[in-house]
Amino acid sequence: QVQLVESGGGLVQPGGSLRLSCVASYNLFSHAAMDWYRQAPGKMREVVASIHPSGRTDYEDFVEGRFTISRDNYKRTVYLQMNNLKPEDTAVYYCNHKFGTWPWGQGTQVTVSS
C-alpha cells in the first residue's frame, strides 16, 4: 500500500512563502502523475497543481503564477513552492496520485495570517 507523507506547512504572514514536500513510498514514482490538493475548513478538497511524469505542469487559476510544483524522482518526492501567500490559501495541503487514487496522507497545515 502506498504511503504519502506531507511536510513543510506552518504559519506565515500574507505575502510570505512556504515549500511543501511529499514523499511517496511507490517504487514506480517516476511514472506517476502527481497532484497537490488542499482542503479549507468547511470546503471540499480541491486540486491545486499537477505534475506529469514528463515534467509538464498544470495549475488552477487561483495559484497560477504564485505556486510551483516540481518533483525529484530519485527521492520519490513532489514539492509545492508557494509564494505570495494569501489568507485564502489557508488549508490542509495533501499530495496524491492523479485523481486521488492512493490512500491519503495526514496532510500539512498551512495558515496564512497576520
Side-chain angles (χ1 to χ4, degrees):
Q1 176 147 303
V2 178
Q3 290 187 320
L4 298 165
V5 180
E6 299 93 347
S7 62
L11 172 63
V12 64
Q13 293 186 343
S17 298
L18 285 173
R19 188 193 193 205
L20 308 184
S21 300
C22 171
V23 180
S25 65
Y26 184 58
N27 290 336
L28 298 177
F29 178 81
S30 63
H31 298 276
M34 296 296 295
D35 292 340
W36 276 101
Y37 298 79
R38 69 185 186 187
Q39 186 167 19
K43 294 188 177 181
M44 299 285 289
R45 189 175 289 161
E46 60 184 358
V47 174
V48 172
S50 304
I51 186 164
H52 298 265
S54 66
R56 193 193 90 200
T57 57
D58 298 299
Y59 299 92
E60 295 301 311
D61 288 344
F62 50 81
V63 302
E64 183 79 52
R66 299 188 298 124
F67 290 10
T68 303
I69 188 171
S70 60
R71 65 192 298 159
D72 183 330
N73 290 331
Y74 181 75
K75 295 181 179 179
R76 292 181 290 182
T77 300
V78 60
Y79 302 98
L80 188 68
Q81 176 66 43
M82 306 187 297
N83 298 328
N84 191 21
L85 282 160
K86 303 176 180 180
E88 52 263 42
D89 294 319
T90 295
V92 180
Y93 284 72
Y94 304 85
C95 73
N96 208 313
H97 189 248
K98 195 100 179 115
F99 306 120
T101 55
W102 292 341
W104 293 94
Q106 84 288 349
T108 186
Q109 175 71 48
V110 171
T111 302
V112 185
S113 175
S114 55

